Amino acid sequence: MQPRIVPTGQHISNLNDHKNIVSNSARRLEVLRNCINCIFENKISDARKTFPAVLRALKSKQARLALCNELSQHVIGNKAMLEHQQFDLVVRLMNCALQDDSSMDEHGVAAALLPLATAFCRKLCTGVIQFAYTCIQEHAVWQNQQFWEAAFYLDVQKDIKALYLPRLDSISPRLGTDHILATPTSPRDSKDFAWQNRRSVISRVQEPSALEIAAEQMRLWSSVDSEKQKELITSEESTLYSQAIHYANRMVSLLIPLDIGNRLHKQDHSLDEERASNSIANRYVV
């Protein structure tokens, strides 16, 4: 029997998206985009004028995802050094987006903010740099082990796809040539789709999922020579180990506060006071 690939369903974040973004939402996203541009152009006074409206807009899932997209466009390389006022506004936006999201991160907002939290930074003094992750540690999502597992495997899948897609395109073109109707996958895509392409439907190539790539690789595995198999196995293991180290560093950054010593001291002090009060109370119990 010839193996067949079962198509994947919709992502949970798209299950309730039955309509395109209406004009009111599109205007709010445009305000958000302009505000972020003002922040990074160091037009702080202009950014503060629309900042309250942007914070209100972040109540919606589309706005939170749009925020992640816009912020990521201002990161060049691994680090984005900001001025103090820029840093404060960016951190406040990130905190607001995380506050309005759930600890399960169904929409991928926290996962999208992870690389940004270790990229945005400011210089406090000579040799001292503060990163954004030090200001967003209080959110419940970081304490959720399921979130870390899902984010880790998502990044592993992205790396695996990058490893196999060029090879599969040349060996098995059928995986990369299926066309689907264009549907918005992000707030910006939704806006463009709704207002620029209302009268036309554009076909685009659907990128295969990691499961589809794995299924195709299993189908082709017997035809791959042993040396190539060893090379692919080594590349996969290297990808997995590098992401494991990467996520270990991220977990340390977001789960261990910089003032852990002071916090432990305060906890011990409060416990000592509680023991002392209990001891005093017990003396007078007849």
Side-chain angles (χ1 to χ4, degrees):
M1 180 180 293
Q2 182 70 19
R4 302 180 64 182
I5 297 177
V6 178
T8 56
Q10 281 186 307
H11 190 272
I12 188 172
S13 63
N14 297 326
L15 293 180
N16 296 324
D17 290 346
H18 301 299
K19 299 179 181 179
N20 290 326
I21 297 178
V22 296
S23 59
N24 191 30
S25 298
R27 283 195 295 270
R28 287 200 296 267
L29 295 180
E30 189 64 30
V31 171
L32 183 147
R33 187 176 298 117
N34 291 335
C35 179
I36 293 176
N37 288 335
C38 287
I39 292 174
F40 286 96
E41 291 171 4
N42 217 9
K43 300 177 181 178
I44 303 301
S45 59
D46 292 337
R48 291 188 185 279
K49 292 177 182 177
T50 57
F51 203 75
V54 171
L55 294 180
R56 290 193 298 270
L58 290 178
K59 295 290 183 182
S60 71
K61 174 196 71 175
Q62 289 84 2
R64 295 196 294 273
L65 291 173
L67 172 68
C68 300
N69 292 335
E70 292 297 326
L71 290 178
S72 64
Q73 294 178 14
H74 294 277
V75 177
I76 300 176
N78 297 325
K79 188 184 298 184
M81 187 72 70
L82 304 177
E83 299 292 335
H84 291 295
Q85 290 182 315
Q86 291 176 309
F87 183 85
D88 291 337
L89 292 178
V90 168
V91 165
R92 190 173 176 189
L93 288 173
M94 295 172 71
N95 272 317
C96 186
L98 290 168
Q99 179 181 348
D100 292 323
D101 210 40
S102 73
S103 61
M104 294 300 297
D105 193 39
E106 294 94 342
H107 309 307
V109 174
L113 288 177
L114 263 180
L116 302 178
T118 56
F120 290 118
C121 58
R122 64 176 171 182
K123 186 176 181 180
L124 296 179
C125 60
T126 303
V128 179
I129 296 177
Q130 181 185 19
F131 287 88
Y133 66 77
T134 61
C135 303
I136 62 172
Q137 293 178 327
E138 302 298 328
H139 299 280
V141 66
W142 312 130
Q143 306 294 331
N144 187 352
Q145 183 178 346
Q146 290 181 334
F147 159 75
W148 288 106
E149 292 176 357
F152 168 73
Y153 285 118
L154 181 62
D155 280 348
V156 169
Q157 287 179 9
K158 290 178 182 177
D159 287 347
I160 295 297
K161 288 167 69 174
L163 175 65
Y164 282 107
L165 271 180
R167 180 172 178 272
L168 290 178
D169 286 342
S170 60
I171 296 178
S172 182
R174 68 186 182 87
L175 254 188
T177 56
D178 295 332
H179 287 75
I180 59 171
L181 295 180
T183 54
T185 56
S186 70
R188 174 172 286 185
D189 291 342
S190 301
K191 176 178 179 293
D192 296 341
F193 186 87
W195 300 107
Q196 296 179 8
N197 302 316
R198 284 182 294 180
R199 298 182 181 180
S200 64
V201 178
I202 302 174
S203 295
R204 66 182 180 189
V205 176
Q206 180 185 19
E207 186 178 89
S209 67
L211 283 177
E212 291 171 329
I213 292 175
E216 186 70 5
Q217 188 63 28
M218 290 173 65
R219 187 181 70 85
L220 300 171
W221 192 248
S222 59
S223 62
V224 180
D225 61 84
S226 59
E227 290 298 323
K228 186 63 177 178
Q229 288 181 354
K230 291 179 181 178
E231 179 185 342
L232 292 172
I233 291 172
T234 302
S235 298
E236 283 192 26
E237 291 178 347
S238 175
T239 295
L240 191 65
Y241 292 149
S242 62
Q243 283 293 350
I245 295 172
H246 192 40
Y247 266 82
N249 291 329
R250 285 180 171 178
M251 293 180 73
V252 169
S253 299
L254 285 158
L255 292 174
I256 301 179
L258 295 178
D259 59 343
I260 184 65
N262 293 333
R263 294 192 183 189
L264 290 176
H265 178 71
K266 290 179 180 179
Q267 290 178 358
D268 293 340
H269 185 66
S270 62
L271 287 175
D272 291 340
E273 289 182 347
E274 184 179 354
R275 294 192 190 101
S277 62
N278 289 337
S279 177
I280 294 173
N282 290 335
R283 292 178 189 175
Y284 295 97
V285 174
V286 179

